[in-house]
Structures are given as C-alpha cells and as structure tokens.
Amino acid sequence: MKQTYGEKVFQVVNYLFLAAAAGTMLMPLVHLLAVSLSSPLAADSKTVFLLPVEFTWASWGHILQNKGLWSAFGVTLYITIVGTLLSMLFSVLTAFPLSRKEFLIRKPFMLAVIITMIFNAPMIPFFLTVRELGMMNSLWSLILPGLIGTFNMIIIRTFFMGIPAELDDSARMDGCTDAGILFRIYLPLSKPVLATVSLFYAVGYWNTFQRAVLFIRDPNKWPLQMKLRAYLQSPEELAAVNLFLGDYDFNTTTLKAATILFATVPIILVYPYLQKYFVKGSMLGSLKE
C-alpha cells in the first residue's frame, strides 16, 4: 500500500525524534568512555567530549586488575542471577492462581497485594525484621526481602488473564493438572512478559544499594554499587597502589569515568538478547498451534 505524503513526513519526523532520543541516552556513556581513555591533563581541563584526547588505557588497566572491584562484581552477579530466578519463580507462582476465576479468594488476596504498593513498610521495622530473621551481613538480605515485586507480579497476572480459557479446558480434557497447565501451556506462551519482567528484576538486583547500606557490614560482601560509591567518594583508595608505584598516567577523573562504565555497561548488554521478546505478540504461537 502506497504511503501518502503526510504519512512519509510523519515517518521521517518520528525517526528523527527517536534518533535524537537515543542520542541523548548514548552521549553520556560515550562521553564517559572518552574521558576514561583520555590523559589526566585532558580530563581535568574539560576538553574531552565524545572522542578521547591523548589516548591511554591506563585507567582501564588499573580497574581490570583491581581485585576489590572484581569481588564486588561477583557478588552483584550472584545476587542478580539467583535473585532474578527466585523472583520470577515466586512471581509466576503467585500470579497464576490470582489470574484464575476459580480461585475463590482472589479478590481479597489481590486487594491485600495492592495495599503493599500503597503503604510500604517503614525502614526501622523493616530493618528490625531482617535482623531478627538472622540475615544481617548475609547476601540473602539483598534477595529475600524484595523477592516478589508487586508491580511485576501484577504485570504477569494481567498477561495470564489474557490467555484464552479454552486452552485450559483443552488441557484438562487431556488430563493436565494445574501445574501442567502453568508450565506446559502458560509459560511457553508468556515468553515476552517473562523476558520483560526478568529484565526489570535483573536491573533492580544489579543496582542494589539501599539494602546493602542497611544490612551489609563486611566490605568483602559489598555489591558493585557499594564499591562504586566508595571509589567515587574516595577515589584515592582506588589509585593508591599505582600512585605509590609512581604511575601517573591516570587520575581520579579518568578512574571515576572508567569505574562508572565498569558498573553500568554489563547490565545494559543484557537488553539486546531480550529485545526480540519485547515486540513479539503474546499469543503468536498459541493460535497457530
């Protein structure tokens, strides 16, 4: 079908707008990368914009050899993977019965769930509860208290409610149990929403900071965001070894830029692998099969 002149103009304007929006999001990262690869003099004189000035790998070389950062990276990776898997499991197990009409108490239960979105637990009772459960200074304190995100669970529930009830009836005629319906029918049809919510959970766990401040006392158990804060507040700690050895090819400005990218880029790289599920139709496979 041939496009009209107005449709072509709208399409061009739309593409330009989206390109400008993408540029505003990418430029800060590109700028940080340029600063991290520039010389100390150029970084301090604010002459670096999108391209490195007096190119050097010194800051990145120091960061990639820093055992403290890699230890924090491992902690963050652990809580992100384990937390996301557990959160998805319990969110799905909660959303499934709440999406079923035969679950008689789903309305009062759903009301109780929604109330938790409006009234959050105060910080001091929250802290005392976690402490009484014996999770202080434990990585489980970064996972279990926020295991089910109410908003994320509601998204999954809403998606489940959109799946035709005829599929349930057909499965029951074939002798399928509720567990079979969930894992053999609902989950295979729910890849788009599962991928989207998994990304929400993963980003939340990757950026864990407040709970780490409250519950983690051992620096060896700090997640990456806590270590990043320590280095940004006191970058001399990061540079102490190399400054002692007389290596002045980097300074606190270039180190800050490199450290921020080290903590940010890994989770951004996850999105391209999940992008295809963001645009797929939710019932694309079920109606054909």
Side-chain angles (χ1 to χ4, degrees):
M1 184 176 177
K2 189 176 181 180
Q3 290 183 326
T4 64
Y5 176 77
E7 289 175 337
K8 291 180 180 179
V9 171
F10 173 79
Q11 194 172 32
V12 170
V13 173
N14 192 32
Y15 284 154
L16 290 175
F17 174 78
L18 292 176
T24 59
M25 298 175 190
L26 288 175
M27 283 179 62
L29 293 176
V30 176
H31 173 70
L32 284 174
L33 180 61
V35 171
S36 69
L37 296 174
S38 299
S39 68
L41 181 60
D44 286 338
S45 61
K46 310 295 183 183
T47 59
V48 182
F49 184 49
L50 297 179
L51 294 175
V53 178
E54 299 176 5
F55 183 90
T56 175
W57 286 100
S59 295
W60 279 102
H62 180 82
I63 284 178
L64 295 178
Q65 295 175 5
N66 187 281
K67 294 182 179 179
L69 274 178
W70 282 111
S71 175
F73 182 89
V75 171
T76 297
L77 191 64
Y78 173 81
I79 64 175
T80 299
I81 294 175
V82 175
T84 301
L85 291 176
L86 290 177
S87 291
M88 288 303 300
L89 175 62
F90 284 93
S91 295
V92 167
L93 293 178
T94 304
F96 181 66
L98 291 177
S99 67
R100 311 297 295 273
K101 294 181 179 179
E102 57 266 32
F103 185 46
L104 299 179
I105 62 171
R106 68 171 185 158
K107 288 187 177 180
F109 197 94
M110 196 63 203
L111 178 61
V113 169
I114 293 176
I115 288 175
T116 65
M117 294 181 63
I118 303 173
F119 303 102
N120 293 321
M123 183 176 295
I124 293 178
F126 176 58
F127 175 83
L128 294 176
T129 300
V130 172
R131 188 183 67 178
E132 291 301 317
L133 291 173
M135 291 192 294
M136 288 296 294
N137 212 34
S138 167
L139 295 183
W140 289 111
S141 65
L142 307 180
I143 299 175
L144 295 182
L147 196 61
I148 299 179
T150 306
F151 179 74
N152 294 333
M153 188 276 293
I154 292 176
I155 292 177
I156 299 175
R157 170 186 175 268
T158 304
F159 191 93
F160 284 169
M161 292 177 67
I163 296 178
E166 290 78 8
L167 294 177
D168 294 33
D169 299 335
S170 299
R172 290 195 182 281
M173 291 178 62
D174 292 334
C176 224
T177 62
D178 286 334
I181 292 174
L182 172 60
F183 289 101
R184 299 177 63 181
I185 297 178
Y186 275 56
L187 293 189
L189 296 177
S190 305
K191 289 181 180 178
V193 71
L194 295 180
T196 302
V197 175
S198 294
L199 184 62
F200 291 163
Y201 275 125
V203 171
Y205 282 115
W206 185 270
N207 291 326
T208 296
F209 177 74
Q210 184 180 26
R211 289 178 189 149
V213 172
L214 290 174
F215 305 130
I216 303 299
R217 298 290 180 266
D218 184 359
N220 294 323
K221 295 182 179 180
W222 278 358
L224 194 55
Q225 304 304 324
M226 282 284 288
K227 189 69 71 172
L228 175 61
R229 184 195 68 164
Y231 288 158
L232 292 181
Q233 288 184 343
S234 182
E236 291 77 10
E237 177 186 349
L238 186 63
V241 175
N242 286 55
L243 291 177
F244 178 76
L245 294 176
D247 186 353
Y248 295 98
D249 289 336
F250 62 89
N251 68 349
T252 56
T253 303
T254 57
L255 280 174
K256 285 180 179 180
T259 307
I260 292 171
L261 287 174
F262 181 82
T264 304
V265 170
I267 193 64
I268 294 178
L269 296 179
V270 174
Y271 176 75
Y273 295 99
L274 300 178
Q275 183 182 10
K276 61 180 180 180
Y277 295 112
F278 284 73
V279 295
K280 279 188 175 181
S282 60
M283 298 301 299
L284 184 61
S286 64
L287 295 179
K288 292 182 178 180
E289 296 175 1

